[in-house]
Amino acid sequence: TPPTSWMADLVDTAAGCVGATACTLGGLPFDVAKARLQAGGAGHAYSGLADCLLTTARTEGALALYRGMVPALSSALAENSVGITVQRSLRRALGVDDGGQRPSVGTELGLGAVTGVFTSVAICPFEVLKVRLQLNHDLVDAGPAALLRELRSLVGSEGLSGLYRGIGSLVCRDVPYNTLFYGSYESLCTLFMRLTGVQRKEELATGWVFLSGGLGGCIGWALVLPFGVV
């Protein structure tokens, strides 16, 4: 292993954490709306995404759209840091990127599936707490204090196992998602490398990397969203 490989992994993990923060800040209002649209419930029938966002902001305040920020950000940071670390460690251990050779699509899918197992375990407690906060329409303070109260309430009533409620559905969501995301992302990067004539992924233009990641995310979520509802 080259002596600088751990530094490259550290840079990748740090970049993943920055990306997780940006995605959480930009996407959390839609995640809150998604949770409420999926949950439904008497007295809270929304006609669609826009109605849910506007009604929530009007009746509970704009900050309600950022309810669950702490667990959501914690979940995103855990998912990205664990996912990238596992991916890089597996690729280094298997030597799949050695000699300038890119792995096959099957190998990329397999690496993504293994990564999904680790990320599911890492983010489940944060996902449970996030959804509980998002579905609490009467909550005024959704900051760290509310998170701690919710955590104490959950552990007090259900024990530590309550933090892993729905782990089966989460694994059914994250393993296929990571399989499809990492498989699609890395395979698309390989395709764009060939089209642009570069030999290493690090030489690929940032725009192609963004495009690969965006398309990979669309492919993954389009097929696994039903498990997120459960």
Side-chain angles (χ1 to χ4, degrees):
T1 304
T4 56
S5 63
W6 68 270
M7 295 181 63
D9 289 347
L10 183 61
V11 170
D12 286 333
T13 302
C17 290
V18 172
T21 302
C23 288
T24 302
L25 291 173
L28 188 58
F30 301 102
D31 194 47
V32 170
K34 176 177 73 72
R36 294 190 172 191
L37 287 168
Q38 290 172 346
H44 296 288
Y46 305 107
S47 61
L49 174 62
D51 179 51
C52 183
L53 290 170
L54 293 173
T55 300
T56 300
R58 184 175 63 252
T59 60
E60 303 174 48
L63 289 179
L65 295 173
Y66 284 90
R67 186 164 293 163
M69 166 66 82
V70 175
L73 181 58
S74 301
S75 177
L77 290 172
E79 181 174 24
N80 278 31
S81 60
V82 170
I84 291 175
T85 300
V86 170
Q87 269 281 313
R88 295 300 181 183
S89 297
L90 288 173
R91 300 177 82 86
R92 187 168 61 248
L94 297 175
V96 294
D97 292 324
D98 291 348
Q101 290 287 345
R102 293 286 291 173
S104 67
V105 174
T107 299
E108 298 289 12
L109 293 172
L111 292 173
V114 174
T115 301
V117 175
F118 285 89
T119 59
S120 298
V121 175
I123 71 174
C124 191
F126 302 111
E127 289 291 298
V128 170
L129 291 170
K130 180 189 73 174
V131 172
R132 285 173 66 98
L133 288 173
Q134 289 175 346
L135 296 181
N136 187 343
H137 295 267
D138 299 320
L139 188 64
V140 176
D141 174 23
L147 173 65
L148 290 176
R149 286 195 301 271
E150 198 68 42
L151 176 61
R152 284 195 297 267
S153 173
L154 177 60
V155 174
S157 61
E158 301 183 32
L160 291 176
S161 62
L163 293 172
Y164 284 90
R165 180 195 297 172
I167 183 65
S169 294
L170 191 58
V171 169
C172 288
R173 184 196 76 178
D174 273 24
V175 170
Y177 171 76
N178 281 276
T179 300
L180 294 169
F181 170 71
Y182 281 107
S184 301
Y185 165 67
E186 293 290 352
S187 297
L188 286 167
C189 283
T190 300
L191 174 63
F192 293 138
M193 286 169 61
R194 292 172 180 169
L195 290 176
T196 56
V198 301
Q199 299 300 314
R200 294 171 55 82
K201 183 180 172 183
E202 290 77 8
E203 300 171 353
L204 192 61
T206 302
W208 293 117
V209 176
F210 271 117
L211 180 59
S212 299
L215 290 174
C218 290
I219 292 170
W221 276 116
L223 296 178
V224 305
L225 187 59
F227 293 105
V229 177
V230 177

